[in-house]
Amino acid sequence: MKLLGLEELHELEPHSAGLCALLVPTTGITDYVAVCEKYAELVIAQGGVVSTHTEVIGFARGTETVVETTRGTFITRHVINCAGLHSDRISRMAGHERNVVIVPFRGEYYDLVPEREHLVRGLIYPVPDPRVPFLGVHFTRRIHGGVDAGPNAVLAFKREGYRRSHFNLRDTFCELAYPGFWRMAAKYWRSGLEEFQRSFSKKGFVSELQRLVPEIRDSDLRPGGAGVRAQALGRDGLLVDDFHFVRADSMLHVLNVPSPAATASLPIGRAIVQMAQESFQLQ
């Protein structure tokens, strides 16, 4: 990494604002759909099975573990739970970790209109504020062209709530009934309101983006996509900001994998394999 002065910063990103910048030369972008398809291809090539649209509905454990799903029953010696937005429910279903709950946060994006994409050459990120749990809006050039602007981070009322209108009673009750939720709300209510404001106010969103690229205007942005972050929350009201793994019996639960989980998926996978080898005493 290299610390850049203002002149060096403007050589790389002529339209950006700042006092200085941290250059990370190895930063890159990729197509994560293609990455996941390649992972699946490698698993299948080695005799594995990839079963999508399949929900785990129960476990039965003895000398082996029986995994009951909506697409049949699987019998195995060991289970690694990487269920993301539903990882805490899988863990509870197995009778294990009960001290964290997954709280979904929706991140909403805008796209730069094509004629203004020249304002961003690469990836422009703000300095993280340690007082708040999320990074803040930033600019990301995509692998197939175009530039993402965002995201904000608003509480979702459905674990797979990719739209503001998405609502699930069970998911919402799970959030509101959890003591840690109200402790979190008491601590971060001000930043939470600011995030909600940016969700409904394009002007507020633009104002945050202008801190990084002052030339950005309202007309430069059009609605983009959204993602949902599977954020683990402790009973103390603190958002888990590190990896959280739980080893119990013949299972390994991956309950929190913070950003940049996708770009770090290979080393994270190697770490999980090492834990599994140690926990299950595998060769």
Side-chain angles (χ1 to χ4, degrees):
M1 295 185 289
K2 181 183 178 182
L3 189 64
L4 304 179
L6 185 58
E7 185 175 333
E8 293 174 299
L9 167 61
H10 284 162
E11 288 178 4
L12 292 175
E13 292 286 353
H15 303 280
S16 65
L19 300 175
C20 57
L22 187 65
L23 173 65
V24 185
T26 55
T27 293
I29 54 176
T30 189
D31 180 340
Y32 288 113
V33 172
V35 170
C36 288
E37 289 174 345
K38 175 55 69 172
Y39 285 163
E41 178 187 319
L42 294 172
V43 168
I44 293 169
Q46 297 184 64
V49 175
V50 177
S51 181
T52 58
H53 301 284
T54 304
E55 180 183 356
V56 174
I57 56 178
F59 293 98
R61 290 202 306 275
T63 54
E64 294 181 305
T65 299
V66 178
V67 185
E68 300 171 0
T69 80
T70 52
R71 290 197 173 189
T73 298
F74 299 87
I75 300 175
T76 181
R77 288 182 298 160
H78 310 290
V79 174
I80 300 176
N81 164 24
C82 299
L85 286 160
H86 304 279
S87 57
D88 60 331
R89 287 179 175 164
I90 297 294
S91 176
R92 282 172 168 75
M93 199 182 295
H96 297 147
E97 174 66 82
R98 299 181 181 273
N99 292 321
V100 297
V101 161
I102 298 298
V103 176
F105 283 90
R106 184 175 61 256
E108 301 162 331
Y109 290 86
Y110 282 95
D111 293 333
L112 280 188
V113 295
E115 56 269 26
R116 297 288 277 175
E117 290 176 6
H118 69 278
L119 294 176
V120 178
R121 290 181 174 179
L123 286 74
I124 304 177
Y125 281 66
V127 177
D129 185 342
R131 296 171 298 176
V132 295
F134 298 112
L135 176 64
V137 297
H138 45 272
F139 293 93
T140 306
R141 184 165 285 277
R142 294 193 295 262
I143 192 73
H144 298 299
V147 176
D148 286 333
N152 57 359
V154 296
L155 183 69
F157 297 103
K158 182 179 180 181
R159 295 215 176 187
E160 296 178 48
Y162 295 96
R163 299 179 183 276
R164 293 182 193 143
S165 58
H166 285 177
F167 175 83
N168 180 279
L169 182 61
R170 179 192 177 194
D171 292 348
T172 303
F173 178 80
C174 179
E175 293 172 20
L176 300 182
Y178 185 57
F181 174 83
W182 297 104
R183 296 186 179 105
M184 174 193 69
K187 185 175 183 179
Y188 296 118
W189 67 269
R190 192 181 301 276
S191 60
L193 286 178
E194 291 173 356
E195 295 289 350
F196 265 110
Q197 178 190 17
R198 282 193 285 273
S199 178
F200 290 93
S201 169
K202 189 177 182 181
K203 181 179 178 181
F205 209 108
V206 170
S207 178
E208 281 297 301
L209 292 171
Q210 287 173 336
R211 297 177 64 188
L212 300 175
V213 180
E215 295 175 52
I216 291 291
R217 298 291 179 264
D218 186 294
S219 57
D220 298 337
L221 304 173
R222 60 189 180 194
V228 180
R229 175 172 176 163
Q231 176 62 57
L233 174 66
R235 288 186 174 274
D236 55 6
L238 296 179
L239 297 169
V240 180
D241 60 1
D242 200 355
F243 298 98
H244 186 62
F245 303 99
V246 173
R247 290 175 272 195
D249 301 328
S250 59
M251 302 183 73
L252 172 61
H253 301 281
V254 182
L255 294 171
N256 198 61
V257 184
S259 180
T263 47
S265 56
L266 285 171
I268 291 170
R270 285 193 288 269
I272 291 172
V273 167
Q274 184 176 349
M275 286 186 204
Q277 289 174 326
E278 294 170 356
S279 297
F280 307 149
Q281 298 181 340
L282 303 174
Q283 295 295 320

